[in-house]
Every structure is written in structure tokens, then in C-alpha cells.
Amino acid sequence: MVWIVSGFVQGELRMSKGRSVCTDNAKLVELTDAETGDSFGRSIYCPPNNQINFMP
């Protein structure tokens, strides 16, 4: 059994060690083992036109 936890971040969210910024409404999704509490990973989704990349 796993837990899928998701939520939205209102406002700015810095991603990838400050290399990019989601300016609004980033969605975070995390998958967790319900028995042990171990995390299988986390994903961040930024809506189109809300991401600023600082990488050349």
C-alpha cells in the first residue's frame, strides 16, 4: 500500500537548486510507502508559461 500526497504551492517556488523558478501554482506529488514511511520520490509540475529557467 502506498500514499500519494499532492498539493499546490501558491506563489513562487524555486526548483533545481535555484536554476529555475515556478512563478505560481506549482503542483507537488509525493509517493510514500504507507507501512514504512519510506519515500519513493517527489515530483514538481509547473504549469506552462509559469516557469523561468536560468540555465543558458
Side-chain angles (χ1 to χ4, degrees):
M1 182 182 285
V2 296
W3 290 332
I4 300 174
V5 180
S6 64
F8 290 91
V9 176
Q10 298 297 316
E12 188 176 282
L13 175 69
R14 295 195 177 270
M15 303 179 291
S16 301
K17 299 179 184 176
R19 294 184 187 137
S20 63
V21 173
C22 185
T23 57
D24 196 23
N25 287 330
K27 181 178 181 181
L28 283 76
V29 179
E30 184 166 355
L31 184 64
T32 303
D33 186 310
E35 294 180 17
T36 65
D38 293 339
S39 176
F40 292 114
R42 180 178 305 140
S43 295
I44 300 172
Y45 302 98
C46 187
N49 302 322
N50 282 6
Q51 188 166 351
I52 301 169
N53 290 312
F54 296 108
M55 297 290 289

mmCIF file of all heavy atoms in Angstrom:
data_model
loop_
_atom_site.group_PDB
_atom_site.id
_atom_site.type_symbol
_atom_site.label_atom_id
_atom_site.label_comp_id
_atom_site.label_asym_id
_atom_site.label_seq_id
_atom_site.Cartn_x
_atom_site.Cartn_y
_atom_site.Cartn_z
ATOM 1 N N MET A 1 0.847 -1.170 0.000
ATOM 2 C CA MET A 1 0.000 0.000 0.000
ATOM 3 C C MET A 1 0.897 1.239 0.000
ATOM 4 O O MET A 1 1.918 1.267 0.671
ATOM 5 C CB MET A 1 -0.897 0.002 1.236
ATOM 6 C CG MET A 1 -1.827 1.185 1.265
ATOM 7 S SD MET A 1 -2.864 1.291 2.722
ATOM 8 C CE MET A 1 -4.042 0.026 2.339
ATOM 9 N N VAL A 2 0.489 2.227 -0.763
ATOM 10 C CA VAL A 2 1.240 3.485 -0.833
ATOM 11 C C VAL A 2 0.297 4.666 -0.626
ATOM 12 O O VAL A 2 -0.911 4.555 -0.832
ATOM 13 C CB VAL A 2 1.970 3.666 -2.184
ATOM 14 C CG1 VAL A 2 3.035 2.609 -2.378
ATOM 15 C CG2 VAL A 2 1.008 3.685 -3.340
ATOM 16 N N TRP A 3 0.871 5.761 -0.190
ATOM 17 C CA TRP A 3 0.148 7.026 -0.105
ATOM 18 C C TRP A 3 0.630 7.901 -1.242
ATOM 19 O O TRP A 3 1.826 8.006 -1.507
ATOM 20 C CB TRP A 3 0.428 7.744 1.205
ATOM 21 C CG TRP A 3 -0.154 7.123 2.416
ATOM 22 C CD1 TRP A 3 -1.279 6.347 2.498
ATOM 23 C CD2 TRP A 3 0.347 7.215 3.747
ATOM 24 N NE1 TRP A 3 -1.495 5.960 3.791
ATOM 25 C CE2 TRP A 3 -0.514 6.483 4.585
ATOM 26 C CE3 TRP A 3 1.434 7.850 4.306
ATOM 27 C CZ2 TRP A 3 -0.316 6.369 5.945
ATOM 28 C CZ3 TRP A 3 1.638 7.743 5.671
ATOM 29 C CH2 TRP A 3 0.759 6.999 6.470
ATOM 30 N N ILE A 4 -0.298 8.552 -1.909
ATOM 31 C CA ILE A 4 0.032 9.559 -2.911
ATOM 32 C C ILE A 4 -0.469 10.883 -2.358
ATOM 33 O O ILE A 4 -1.667 11.074 -2.172
ATOM 34 C CB ILE A 4 -0.622 9.258 -4.269
ATOM 35 C CG1 ILE A 4 -0.139 7.916 -4.787
ATOM 36 C CG2 ILE A 4 -0.308 10.379 -5.260
ATOM 37 C CD1 ILE A 4 -0.836 7.455 -6.045
ATOM 38 N N VAL A 5 0.468 11.764 -2.040
ATOM 39 C CA VAL A 5 0.142 13.052 -1.433
ATOM 40 C C VAL A 5 0.428 14.135 -2.458
ATOM 41 O O VAL A 5 1.504 14.164 -3.051
ATOM 42 C CB VAL A 5 0.985 13.293 -0.157
ATOM 43 C CG1 VAL A 5 0.636 14.618 0.470
ATOM 44 C CG2 VAL A 5 0.787 12.151 0.831
ATOM 45 N N SER A 6 -0.546 14.997 -2.683
ATOM 46 C CA SER A 6 -0.326 16.089 -3.637
ATOM 47 C C SER A 6 -0.854 17.396 -3.060
ATOM 48 O O SER A 6 -1.727 17.406 -2.192
ATOM 49 C CB SER A 6 -1.002 15.796 -4.978
ATOM 50 O OG SER A 6 -2.394 15.737 -4.828
ATOM 51 N N GLY A 7 -0.274 18.473 -3.533
ATOM 52 C CA GLY A 7 -0.690 19.798 -3.092
ATOM 53 C C GLY A 7 -0.162 20.855 -4.037
ATOM 54 O O GLY A 7 0.660 20.579 -4.912
ATOM 55 N N PHE A 8 -0.661 22.062 -3.866
ATOM 56 C CA PHE A 8 -0.252 23.183 -4.706
ATOM 57 C C PHE A 8 0.470 24.222 -3.866
ATOM 58 O O PHE A 8 0.137 24.426 -2.706
ATOM 59 C CB PHE A 8 -1.471 23.835 -5.377
ATOM 60 C CG PHE A 8 -2.089 22.985 -6.434
ATOM 61 C CD1 PHE A 8 -3.110 22.105 -6.127
ATOM 62 C CD2 PHE A 8 -1.631 23.058 -7.736
ATOM 63 C CE1 PHE A 8 -3.677 21.313 -7.105
ATOM 64 C CE2 PHE A 8 -2.195 22.268 -8.729
ATOM 65 C CZ PHE A 8 -3.219 21.392 -8.401
ATOM 66 N N VAL A 9 1.460 24.881 -4.472
ATOM 67 C CA VAL A 9 2.198 25.956 -3.818
ATOM 68 C C VAL A 9 1.735 27.267 -4.452
ATOM 69 O O VAL A 9 1.895 27.470 -5.655
ATOM 70 C CB VAL A 9 3.724 25.790 -4.007
ATOM 71 C CG1 VAL A 9 4.459 26.970 -3.405
ATOM 72 C CG2 VAL A 9 4.188 24.488 -3.406
ATOM 73 N N GLN A 10 1.140 28.121 -3.659
ATOM 74 C CA GLN A 10 0.725 29.434 -4.145
ATOM 75 C C GLN A 10 1.939 30.359 -4.113
ATOM 76 O O GLN A 10 2.651 30.415 -3.121
ATOM 77 C CB GLN A 10 -0.384 30.014 -3.265
ATOM 78 C CG GLN A 10 -1.641 29.176 -3.257
ATOM 79 C CD GLN A 10 -2.284 29.085 -4.625
ATOM 80 O OE1 GLN A 10 -2.400 30.072 -5.334
ATOM 81 N NE2 GLN A 10 -2.688 27.885 -4.994
ATOM 82 N N GLY A 11 2.197 31.037 -5.197
ATOM 83 C CA GLY A 11 3.349 31.928 -5.257
ATOM 84 C C GLY A 11 4.565 31.226 -5.824
ATOM 85 O O GLY A 11 4.488 30.156 -6.410
ATOM 86 N N GLU A 12 5.720 31.817 -5.612
ATOM 87 C CA GLU A 12 6.973 31.384 -6.234
ATOM 88 C C GLU A 12 7.567 30.157 -5.558
ATOM 89 O O GLU A 12 7.578 30.046 -4.337
ATOM 90 C CB GLU A 12 7.962 32.546 -6.138
ATOM 91 C CG GLU A 12 9.238 32.334 -6.882
ATOM 92 C CD GLU A 12 10.117 33.561 -6.810
ATOM 93 O OE1 GLU A 12 9.837 34.517 -7.560
ATOM 94 O OE2 GLU A 12 11.056 33.572 -5.998
ATOM 95 N N LEU A 13 8.062 29.215 -6.370
ATOM 96 C CA LEU A 13 8.762 28.026 -5.880
ATOM 97 C C LEU A 13 10.050 27.867 -6.668
ATOM 98 O O LEU A 13 10.030 27.761 -7.891
ATOM 99 C CB LEU A 13 7.896 26.771 -6.047
ATOM 100 C CG LEU A 13 8.576 25.458 -5.674
ATOM 101 C CD1 LEU A 13 8.808 25.392 -4.159
ATOM 102 C CD2 LEU A 13 7.766 24.279 -6.135
ATOM 103 N N ARG A 14 11.184 27.864 -5.973
ATOM 104 C CA ARG A 14 12.487 27.682 -6.630
ATOM 105 C C ARG A 14 12.761 26.188 -6.740
ATOM 106 O O ARG A 14 12.602 25.448 -5.784
ATOM 107 C CB ARG A 14 13.592 28.371 -5.855
ATOM 108 C CG ARG A 14 13.403 29.870 -5.855
ATOM 109 C CD ARG A 14 14.667 30.598 -5.414
ATOM 110 N NE ARG A 14 14.446 32.021 -5.499
ATOM 111 C CZ ARG A 14 14.688 32.745 -6.578
ATOM 112 N NH1 ARG A 14 15.160 32.174 -7.651
ATOM 113 N NH2 ARG A 14 14.457 34.042 -6.586
ATOM 114 N N MET A 15 13.193 25.769 -7.940
ATOM 115 C CA MET A 15 13.434 24.352 -8.213
ATOM 116 C C MET A 15 14.868 24.152 -8.691
ATOM 117 O O MET A 15 15.538 25.095 -9.095
ATOM 118 C CB MET A 15 12.473 23.868 -9.302
ATOM 119 C CG MET A 15 11.018 24.082 -8.966
ATOM 120 S SD MET A 15 9.900 23.529 -10.259
ATOM 121 C CE MET A 15 10.227 24.702 -11.554
ATOM 122 N N SER A 16 15.324 22.918 -8.661
ATOM 123 C CA SER A 16 16.625 22.522 -9.213
ATOM 124 C C SER A 16 17.759 23.403 -8.715
ATOM 125 O O SER A 16 18.503 23.979 -9.509
ATOM 126 C CB SER A 16 16.587 22.518 -10.744
ATOM 127 O OG SER A 16 15.610 21.644 -11.212
ATOM 128 N N LYS A 17 17.866 23.525 -7.409
ATOM 129 C CA LYS A 17 18.959 24.298 -6.789
ATOM 130 C C LYS A 17 18.995 25.740 -7.285
ATOM 131 O O LYS A 17 20.048 26.312 -7.518
ATOM 132 C CB LYS A 17 20.292 23.605 -7.029
ATOM 133 C CG LYS A 17 20.347 22.226 -6.436
ATOM 134 C CD LYS A 17 21.659 21.549 -6.713
ATOM 135 C CE LYS A 17 21.624 20.138 -6.175
ATOM 136 N NZ LYS A 17 22.811 19.377 -6.489
ATOM 137 N N GLY A 18 17.818 26.333 -7.469
ATOM 138 C CA GLY A 18 17.733 27.727 -7.872
ATOM 139 C C GLY A 18 17.922 27.979 -9.352
ATOM 140 O O GLY A 18 17.981 29.114 -9.789
ATOM 141 N N ARG A 19 18.015 26.919 -10.161
ATOM 142 C CA ARG A 19 18.231 27.083 -11.600
ATOM 143 C C ARG A 19 16.958 27.437 -12.341
ATOM 144 O O ARG A 19 16.999 27.891 -13.468
ATOM 145 C CB ARG A 19 18.845 25.818 -12.187
ATOM 146 C CG ARG A 19 20.235 25.570 -11.659
ATOM 147 C CD ARG A 19 20.855 24.374 -12.324
ATOM 148 N NE ARG A 19 22.109 24.068 -11.690
ATOM 149 C CZ ARG A 19 22.516 22.852 -11.377
ATOM 150 N NH1 ARG A 19 21.771 21.814 -11.666
ATOM 151 N NH2 ARG A 19 23.659 22.671 -10.784
ATOM 152 N N SER A 20 15.805 27.175 -11.718
ATOM 153 C CA SER A 20 14.537 27.550 -12.344
ATOM 154 C C SER A 20 13.538 27.919 -11.255
ATOM 155 O O SER A 20 13.673 27.535 -10.103
ATOM 156 C CB SER A 20 13.993 26.425 -13.228
ATOM 157 O OG SER A 20 13.710 25.285 -12.466
ATOM 158 N N VAL A 21 12.530 28.676 -11.643
ATOM 159 C CA VAL A 21 11.514 29.166 -10.718
ATOM 160 C C VAL A 21 10.145 28.929 -11.340
ATOM 161 O O VAL A 21 9.942 29.232 -12.517
ATOM 162 C CB VAL A 21 11.701 30.672 -10.439
ATOM 163 C CG1 VAL A 21 10.562 31.223 -9.608
ATOM 164 C CG2 VAL A 21 13.023 30.941 -9.748
ATOM 165 N N CYS A 22 9.231 28.384 -10.553
ATOM 166 C CA CYS A 22 7.833 28.318 -10.963
ATOM 167 C C CYS A 22 7.164 29.520 -10.299
ATOM 168 O O CYS A 22 7.195 29.652 -9.069
ATOM 169 C CB CYS A 22 7.192 27.015 -10.520
ATOM 170 S SG CYS A 22 5.514 26.814 -11.130
ATOM 171 N N THR A 23 6.606 30.397 -11.094
ATOM 172 C CA THR A 23 6.112 31.673 -10.573
ATOM 173 C C THR A 23 4.789 31.548 -9.823
ATOM 174 O O THR A 23 4.468 32.395 -8.999
ATOM 175 C CB THR A 23 5.964 32.698 -11.699
ATOM 176 O OG1 THR A 23 5.092 32.172 -12.695
ATOM 177 C CG2 THR A 23 7.314 33.026 -12.307
ATOM 178 N N ASP A 24 3.994 30.479 -10.093
ATOM 179 C CA ASP A 24 2.714 30.335 -9.392
ATOM 180 C C ASP A 24 2.122 28.957 -9.651
ATOM 181 O O ASP A 24 2.304 28.373 -10.712
ATOM 182 C CB ASP A 24 1.736 31.412 -9.859
ATOM 183 C CG ASP A 24 0.539 31.576 -8.925
ATOM 184 O OD1 ASP A 24 0.656 31.199 -7.742
ATOM 185 O OD2 ASP A 24 -0.494 32.080 -9.379
ATOM 186 N N ASN A 25 1.405 28.429 -8.668
ATOM 187 C CA ASN A 25 0.632 27.188 -8.771
ATOM 188 C C ASN A 25 1.441 25.942 -9.110
ATOM 189 O O ASN A 25 0.989 25.098 -9.885
ATOM 190 C CB ASN A 25 -0.510 27.331 -9.772
ATOM 191 C CG ASN A 25 -1.622 28.187 -9.233
ATOM 192 O OD1 ASN A 25 -1.846 28.234 -8.027
ATOM 193 N ND2 ASN A 25 -2.320 28.871 -10.111
ATOM 194 N N ALA A 26 2.626 25.771 -8.527
ATOM 195 C CA ALA A 26 3.376 24.540 -8.711
ATOM 196 C C ALA A 26 2.634 23.411 -7.992
ATOM 197 O O ALA A 26 2.100 23.593 -6.899
ATOM 198 C CB ALA A 26 4.781 24.679 -8.141
ATOM 199 N N LYS A 27 2.593 22.241 -8.625
ATOM 200 C CA LYS A 27 1.946 21.080 -8.018
ATOM 201 C C LYS A 27 3.029 20.113 -7.569
ATOM 202 O O LYS A 27 3.903 19.740 -8.354
ATOM 203 C CB LYS A 27 1.019 20.397 -9.017
ATOM 204 C CG LYS A 27 0.311 19.191 -8.434
ATOM 205 C CD LYS A 27 -0.641 18.556 -9.440
ATOM 206 C CE LYS A 27 -1.359 17.379 -8.816
ATOM 207 N NZ LYS A 27 -2.267 16.733 -9.780
ATOM 208 N N LEU A 28 2.989 19.693 -6.301
ATOM 209 C CA LEU A 28 3.923 18.728 -5.755
ATOM 210 C C LEU A 28 3.193 17.418 -5.539
ATOM 211 O O LEU A 28 2.075 17.403 -5.019
ATOM 212 C CB LEU A 28 4.492 19.208 -4.420
ATOM 213 C CG LEU A 28 5.563 20.285 -4.498
ATOM 214 C CD1 LEU A 28 4.949 21.619 -4.795
ATOM 215 C CD2 LEU A 28 6.361 20.309 -3.246
ATOM 216 N N VAL A 29 3.834 16.305 -5.932
ATOM 217 C CA VAL A 29 3.270 14.974 -5.753
ATOM 218 C C VAL A 29 4.348 14.097 -5.141
ATOM 219 O O VAL A 29 5.474 14.044 -5.640
ATOM 220 C CB VAL A 29 2.804 14.365 -7.098
ATOM 221 C CG1 VAL A 29 2.256 12.964 -6.878
ATOM 222 C CG2 VAL A 29 1.776 15.248 -7.766
ATOM 223 N N GLU A 30 4.016 13.404 -4.035
ATOM 224 C CA GLU A 30 4.971 12.518 -3.380
ATOM 225 C C GLU A 30 4.347 11.148 -3.205
ATOM 226 O O GLU A 30 3.171 11.020 -2.859
ATOM 227 C CB GLU A 30 5.401 13.063 -2.021
ATOM 228 C CG GLU A 30 6.458 12.204 -1.368
ATOM 229 C CD GLU A 30 7.151 12.882 -0.204
ATOM 230 O OE1 GLU A 30 6.894 14.058 0.056
ATOM 231 O OE2 GLU A 30 7.959 12.212 0.450
ATOM 232 N N LEU A 31 5.145 10.090 -3.450
ATOM 233 C CA LEU A 31 4.711 8.715 -3.296
ATOM 234 C C LEU A 31 5.440 8.124 -2.094
ATOM 235 O O LEU A 31 6.664 8.113 -2.052
ATOM 236 C CB LEU A 31 5.038 7.928 -4.573
ATOM 237 C CG LEU A 31 4.581 6.498 -4.644
ATOM 238 C CD1 LEU A 31 3.052 6.420 -4.622
ATOM 239 C CD2 LEU A 31 5.106 5.843 -5.910
ATOM 240 N N THR A 32 4.670 7.645 -1.097
ATOM 241 C CA THR A 32 5.243 7.166 0.163
ATOM 242 C C THR A 32 4.711 5.775 0.491
ATOM 243 O O THR A 32 3.515 5.510 0.341
ATOM 244 C CB THR A 32 4.875 8.124 1.312
ATOM 245 O OG1 THR A 32 5.333 9.436 0.977
ATOM 246 C CG2 THR A 32 5.508 7.702 2.626
ATOM 247 N N ASP A 33 5.591 4.888 0.968
ATOM 248 C CA ASP A 33 5.183 3.570 1.440
ATOM 249 C C ASP A 33 4.360 3.759 2.706
ATOM 250 O O ASP A 33 4.846 4.319 3.696
ATOM 251 C CB ASP A 33 6.420 2.716 1.726
ATOM 252 C CG ASP A 33 6.080 1.292 2.094
ATOM 253 O OD1 ASP A 33 5.218 1.095 2.989
ATOM 254 O OD2 ASP A 33 6.675 0.371 1.518
ATOM 255 N N ALA A 34 3.119 3.307 2.719
ATOM 256 C CA ALA A 34 2.208 3.537 3.841
ATOM 257 C C ALA A 34 2.624 2.774 5.101
ATOM 258 O O ALA A 34 2.311 3.195 6.206
ATOM 259 C CB ALA A 34 0.787 3.150 3.454
ATOM 260 N N GLU A 35 3.348 1.667 4.958
ATOM 261 C CA GLU A 35 3.735 0.870 6.119
ATOM 262 C C GLU A 35 5.035 1.344 6.753
ATOM 263 O O GLU A 35 5.150 1.389 7.971
ATOM 264 C CB GLU A 35 3.839 -0.602 5.731
ATOM 265 C CG GLU A 35 2.489 -1.196 5.357
ATOM 266 C CD GLU A 35 2.594 -2.659 4.974
ATOM 267 O OE1 GLU A 35 3.617 -3.296 5.305
ATOM 268 O OE2 GLU A 35 1.647 -3.161 4.344
ATOM 269 N N THR A 36 6.018 1.694 5.923
ATOM 270 C CA THR A 36 7.333 2.053 6.463
ATOM 271 C C THR A 36 7.571 3.556 6.526
ATOM 272 O O THR A 36 8.458 4.007 7.236
ATOM 273 C CB THR A 36 8.460 1.436 5.616
ATOM 274 O OG1 THR A 36 8.431 2.024 4.307
ATOM 275 C CG2 THR A 36 8.314 -0.073 5.521
ATOM 276 N N GLY A 37 6.825 4.324 5.735
ATOM 277 C CA GLY A 37 7.040 5.765 5.679
ATOM 278 C C GLY A 37 8.151 6.167 4.729
ATOM 279 O O GLY A 37 8.468 7.348 4.602
ATOM 280 N N ASP A 38 8.768 5.191 4.035
ATOM 281 C CA ASP A 38 9.826 5.492 3.073
ATOM 282 C C ASP A 38 9.253 6.218 1.864
ATOM 283 O O ASP A 38 8.189 5.867 1.359
ATOM 284 C CB ASP A 38 10.516 4.206 2.596
ATOM 285 C CG ASP A 38 11.301 3.509 3.693
ATOM 286 O OD1 ASP A 38 11.660 4.179 4.684
ATOM 287 O OD2 ASP A 38 11.550 2.299 3.559
ATOM 288 N N SER A 39 9.980 7.218 1.402
ATOM 289 C CA SER A 39 9.551 7.979 0.241
ATOM 290 C C SER A 39 10.120 7.356 -1.024
ATOM 291 O O SER A 39 11.300 7.023 -1.088
ATOM 292 C CB SER A 39 10.025 9.432 0.347
ATOM 293 O OG SER A 39 9.685 10.128 -0.827
ATOM 294 N N PHE A 40 9.270 7.172 -2.044
ATOM 295 C CA PHE A 40 9.717 6.661 -3.334
ATOM 296 C C PHE A 40 10.104 7.791 -4.273
ATOM 297 O O PHE A 40 10.665 7.549 -5.323
ATOM 298 C CB PHE A 40 8.623 5.816 -3.983
ATOM 299 C CG PHE A 40 8.356 4.529 -3.254
ATOM 300 C CD1 PHE A 40 7.137 4.336 -2.637
ATOM 301 C CD2 PHE A 40 9.305 3.533 -3.176
ATOM 302 C CE1 PHE A 40 6.869 3.163 -1.966
ATOM 303 C CE2 PHE A 40 9.052 2.353 -2.503
ATOM 304 C CZ PHE A 40 7.824 2.163 -1.898
ATOM 305 N N GLY A 41 9.772 9.004 -3.909
ATOM 306 C CA GLY A 41 10.148 10.132 -4.743
ATOM 307 C C GLY A 41 9.129 11.247 -4.704
ATOM 308 O O GLY A 41 8.027 11.098 -4.181
ATOM 309 N N ARG A 42 9.531 12.373 -5.272
ATOM 310 C CA ARG A 42 8.701 13.566 -5.295
ATOM 311 C C ARG A 42 8.839 14.204 -6.667
ATOM 312 O O ARG A 42 9.920 14.258 -7.227
ATOM 313 C CB ARG A 42 9.191 14.529 -4.221
ATOM 314 C CG ARG A 42 8.414 15.806 -4.128
ATOM 315 C CD ARG A 42 8.931 16.701 -3.012
ATOM 316 N NE ARG A 42 8.937 15.988 -1.744
ATOM 317 C CZ ARG A 42 9.906 16.078 -0.843
ATOM 318 N NH1 ARG A 42 10.939 16.852 -1.055
ATOM 319 N NH2 ARG A 42 9.836 15.402 0.283
ATOM 320 N N SER A 43 7.728 14.692 -7.197
ATOM 321 C CA SER A 43 7.732 15.376 -8.484
ATOM 322 C C SER A 43 7.139 16.767 -8.327
ATOM 323 O O SER A 43 6.254 16.975 -7.500
ATOM 324 C CB SER A 43 6.900 14.613 -9.516
ATOM 325 O OG SER A 43 7.479 13.373 -9.789
ATOM 326 N N ILE A 44 7.660 17.684 -9.120
ATOM 327 C CA ILE A 44 7.147 19.049 -9.128
ATOM 328 C C ILE A 44 6.722 19.368 -10.554
ATOM 329 O O ILE A 44 7.500 19.194 -11.490
ATOM 330 C CB ILE A 44 8.217 20.058 -8.671
ATOM 331 C CG1 ILE A 44 8.680 19.739 -7.257
ATOM 332 C CG2 ILE A 44 7.679 21.490 -8.750
ATOM 333 C CD1 ILE A 44 9.864 20.553 -6.785
ATOM 334 N N TYR A 45 5.477 19.786 -10.711
ATOM 335 C CA TYR A 45 4.942 20.157 -12.020
ATOM 336 C C TYR A 45 4.635 21.647 -12.015
ATOM 337 O O TYR A 45 3.974 22.142 -11.118
ATOM 338 C CB TYR A 45 3.662 19.382 -12.319
ATOM 339 C CG TYR A 45 3.845 17.888 -12.292
ATOM 340 C CD1 TYR A 45 3.513 17.153 -11.167
ATOM 341 C CD2 TYR A 45 4.365 17.218 -13.390
ATOM 342 C CE1 TYR A 45 3.687 15.777 -11.125
ATOM 343 C CE2 TYR A 45 4.544 15.847 -13.360
ATOM 344 C CZ TYR A 45 4.200 15.133 -12.226
ATOM 345 O OH TYR A 45 4.380 13.775 -12.195
ATOM 346 N N CYS A 46 5.102 22.342 -13.030
ATOM 347 C CA CYS A 46 4.855 23.777 -13.149
ATOM 348 C C CYS A 46 3.992 24.005 -14.383
ATOM 349 O O CYS A 46 4.323 23.515 -15.468
ATOM 350 C CB CYS A 46 6.177 24.524 -13.276
ATOM 351 S SG CYS A 46 6.007 26.311 -13.225
ATOM 352 N N PRO A 47 2.873 24.724 -14.249
ATOM 353 C CA PRO A 47 2.017 24.977 -15.405
ATOM 354 C C PRO A 47 2.777 25.700 -16.524
ATOM 355 O O PRO A 47 3.703 26.464 -16.260
ATOM 356 C CB PRO A 47 0.913 25.889 -14.850
ATOM 357 C CG PRO A 47 0.909 25.661 -13.382
ATOM 358 C CD PRO A 47 2.321 25.339 -13.027
ATOM 359 N N PRO A 48 2.374 25.464 -17.777
ATOM 360 C CA PRO A 48 3.017 26.156 -18.904
ATOM 361 C C PRO A 48 2.981 27.672 -18.713
ATOM 362 O O PRO A 48 2.030 28.210 -18.157
ATOM 363 C CB PRO A 48 2.160 25.739 -20.109
ATOM 364 C CG PRO A 48 1.503 24.462 -19.687
ATOM 365 C CD PRO A 48 1.313 24.568 -18.208
ATOM 366 N N ASN A 49 4.013 28.333 -19.142
ATOM 367 C CA ASN A 49 4.172 29.789 -19.070
ATOM 368 C C ASN A 49 4.378 30.322 -17.650
ATOM 369 O O ASN A 49 4.349 31.523 -17.443
ATOM 370 C CB ASN A 49 2.987 30.520 -19.725
ATOM 371 C CG ASN A 49 2.804 30.132 -21.171
ATOM 372 O OD1 ASN A 49 3.781 29.944 -21.890
ATOM 373 N ND2 ASN A 49 1.577 29.989 -21.595
ATOM 374 N N ASN A 50 4.554 29.435 -16.669
ATOM 375 C CA ASN A 50 4.818 29.873 -15.296
ATOM 376 C C ASN A 50 6.239 29.551 -14.855
ATOM 377 O O ASN A 50 6.569 29.715 -13.697
ATOM 378 C CB ASN A 50 3.852 29.206 -14.312
ATOM 379 C CG ASN A 50 2.488 29.839 -14.310
ATOM 380 O OD1 ASN A 50 2.197 30.707 -15.119
ATOM 381 N ND2 ASN A 50 1.642 29.413 -13.405
ATOM 382 N N GLN A 51 7.080 29.067 -15.762
ATOM 383 C CA GLN A 51 8.435 28.663 -15.387
ATOM 384 C C GLN A 51 9.471 29.595 -15.995
ATOM 385 O O GLN A 51 9.403 29.941 -17.164
ATOM 386 C CB GLN A 51 8.708 27.235 -15.834
ATOM 387 C CG GLN A 51 10.020 26.702 -15.308
ATOM 388 C CD GLN A 51 10.135 25.195 -15.467
ATOM 389 O OE1 GLN A 51 9.172 24.527 -15.814
ATOM 390 N NE2 GLN A 51 11.303 24.668 -15.243
ATOM 391 N N ILE A 52 10.454 29.988 -15.162
ATOM 392 C CA ILE A 52 11.575 30.806 -15.603
ATOM 393 C C ILE A 52 12.832 29.964 -15.408
ATOM 394 O O ILE A 52 13.111 29.503 -14.302
ATOM 395 C CB ILE A 52 11.696 32.092 -14.762
ATOM 396 C CG1 ILE A 52 10.418 32.924 -14.867
ATOM 397 C CG2 ILE A 52 12.901 32.915 -15.229
ATOM 398 C CD1 ILE A 52 10.352 34.065 -13.871
ATOM 399 N N ASN A 53 13.586 29.730 -16.483
ATOM 400 C CA ASN A 53 14.821 28.964 -16.418
ATOM 401 C C ASN A 53 16.014 29.909 -16.451
ATOM 402 O O ASN A 53 16.069 30.800 -17.277
ATOM 403 C CB ASN A 53 14.927 27.962 -17.589
ATOM 404 C CG ASN A 53 13.937 26.846 -17.447
ATOM 405 O OD1 ASN A 53 13.819 26.244 -16.386
ATOM 406 N ND2 ASN A 53 13.222 26.555 -18.507
ATOM 407 N N PHE A 54 16.972 29.675 -15.557
ATOM 408 C CA PHE A 54 18.178 30.494 -15.506
ATOM 409 C C PHE A 54 19.357 29.794 -16.157
ATOM 410 O O PHE A 54 20.466 30.293 -16.140
ATOM 411 C CB PHE A 54 18.504 30.856 -14.057
ATOM 412 C CG PHE A 54 17.439 31.707 -13.421
ATOM 413 C CD1 PHE A 54 16.607 31.162 -12.447
ATOM 414 C CD2 PHE A 54 17.255 33.017 -13.793
ATOM 415 C CE1 PHE A 54 15.623 31.951 -11.851
ATOM 416 C CE2 PHE A 54 16.274 33.796 -13.212
ATOM 417 C CZ PHE A 54 15.452 33.258 -12.240
ATOM 418 N N MET A 55 19.132 28.602 -16.728
ATOM 419 C CA MET A 55 20.190 27.871 -17.416
ATOM 420 C C MET A 55 20.287 28.375 -18.852
ATOM 421 O O MET A 55 19.272 28.575 -19.496
ATOM 422 C CB MET A 55 19.878 26.368 -17.427
ATOM 423 C CG MET A 55 19.825 25.754 -16.037
ATOM 424 S SD MET A 55 21.431 25.679 -15.259
ATOM 425 C CE MET A 55 22.187 24.431 -16.220
ATOM 426 N N PRO A 56 21.523 28.549 -19.364
ATOM 427 C CA PRO A 56 21.668 29.011 -20.756
ATOM 428 C C PRO A 56 21.248 27.967 -21.761
ATOM 429 O O PRO A 56 21.160 26.846 -21.528
ATOM 430 C CB PRO A 56 23.145 29.325 -20.881
ATOM 431 C CG PRO A 56 23.824 28.707 -19.719
ATOM 432 C CD PRO A 56 22.781 28.416 -18.701
#
